[in-house]
Amino acid sequence: MKGFSERADVEEVLRFLAERTAALAPEPVPVDACAGRVLAADVRSEVDVPGFARAAMDGYAVRGEDTFGASAYEPAELAIVGESLPGRPAAATVAPGRAVRVMTGAPLPAGADAVAMAEVCSERDGRVAVSDAFAPGKNVGAVGEDIRRGALALARGRRLRPQDAGLLASIGVASVPCVRRPCVRLVVTGDELLPAGSLPVPPRIVDSNSVVLRALVARDGGLVLPFEILPDRPERIREALLAPADAILVSGGSSVGSEDHAPRLVDELGSLDFHGVSMRPSSPAGVGRVGDAWVFLLPGNPVSCLCAYDFFAGPTIRALGGRSRAWPHRRVRLPLARKIASAVGRTDYVRVAIEEGSVVPIATSGAGILSSTVRAAGFVIVPRALEGMPEGAAVEVLLYDDEDAA
Ligand code: AMP
Ligand code: MG
């Protein structure tokens, strides 16, 4: 065993990754499955929506000028010459002194330019008394008022919201080009590991890292490929590194111990671009490539694994999927209840609680203590240039979830 001779700076690794990662190629996605996906090209509408003038209210299609001056004392009396229903062509035409009964969504009959709402109308013996005035255009949905033919419906790069997918359906699109979701292979190594769902039986422990990673990858828009826990055997790890993927997350065995095979294998099969980073936790993290896949060596200690994922794998998986590399966490700025000690030249990931509006670093924060991240509201990043942060300083907390903001 030998230690790390030199460690890279976090920023250097991030710059390296950012310079070499672009969004994956687009694939067509059916419109009813595109919400949450990243649009890969601008979408222009080829149609007007609505494509016809329509009633925006139940009532009577009229010529606005026929109702001018109408009131409850002196209603306008119009002859009803037909009815217009949604989904059917309007049959009758509205000539002066005439009206057509209409339902919301029905095409506006020719000649009409307004809809008198049912609430101010009373119908008797084939005639309707309208007791209010309606200006032309009133209660009428104009052609293209929702979206115009030729208009940009949605721009590339947009992460589609449910309503965006609805808009795409409304303009008659069957599928849209979306950035392919990155396929992520988990390579979970360790002779001591039992699969999640088992009871830990000493001296074995349950693999919790894959459970965390799976959820993080889902958050970042990736797809986790089927995987199994591997023993610390180089031939098994080699095989997993060579299987196709856009990104490979190696959990455990990332350091320089006798059972830490992954770094050597990545170097041999592709390139081990970084191994050892000036950060705490996760200093044995590494980054490399095998074939088309980015490989992230994540230390097995659960906090290190989470931290190394969030620093390096997360932004890369998001970028491959066409999303922003930026931290996806919401942030709050609050004063520090106690100072945080760090060292110049090292980036620290400090789990913190928020108590009565101030930020409390969590004391027992060894990298093996997963519950420290459960008790934490979020984390503070102490940048490389700082020796620490003094009590009372306003610090930015990246929240593990929104509810903890309070
Ligand atoms: P390693 O990085 O393989 O040296 O592992 C460091 C520590 O993390 C050891 O205590 C391992 O037992 C633990 N560990 C490794 N893999 C996992 C995992 N998948 N889930 C939980 N703990 C793990
Ligand atoms: Mg191990």
Side-chain angles (χ1 to χ4, degrees), residues 75-102:
E77 289 266 340
L78 304 170
I80 300 168
V81 295
E83 189 170 56
S84 182
L85 297 171
R88 311 224 191 128
T93 295
V94 175
R98 307 279 159 88
V100 163
R101 199 183 298 115
V102 289

Side-chain angles (χ1 to χ4, degrees), residues 194-205:
L194 293 167
S198 334
L199 206 59
V201 178
R204 304 186 72 191
I205 61 165

Side-chain angles (χ1 to χ4, degrees), residues 188-189 192-193 205-210 251-254 260 299-302:
V188 178
T189 70
E192 72 278 35
L193 301 176
I205 61 165
V206 178
D207 158 36
S208 58
N209 286 349
S210 71
S251 152
S254 78
D260 295 341
N301 267 318

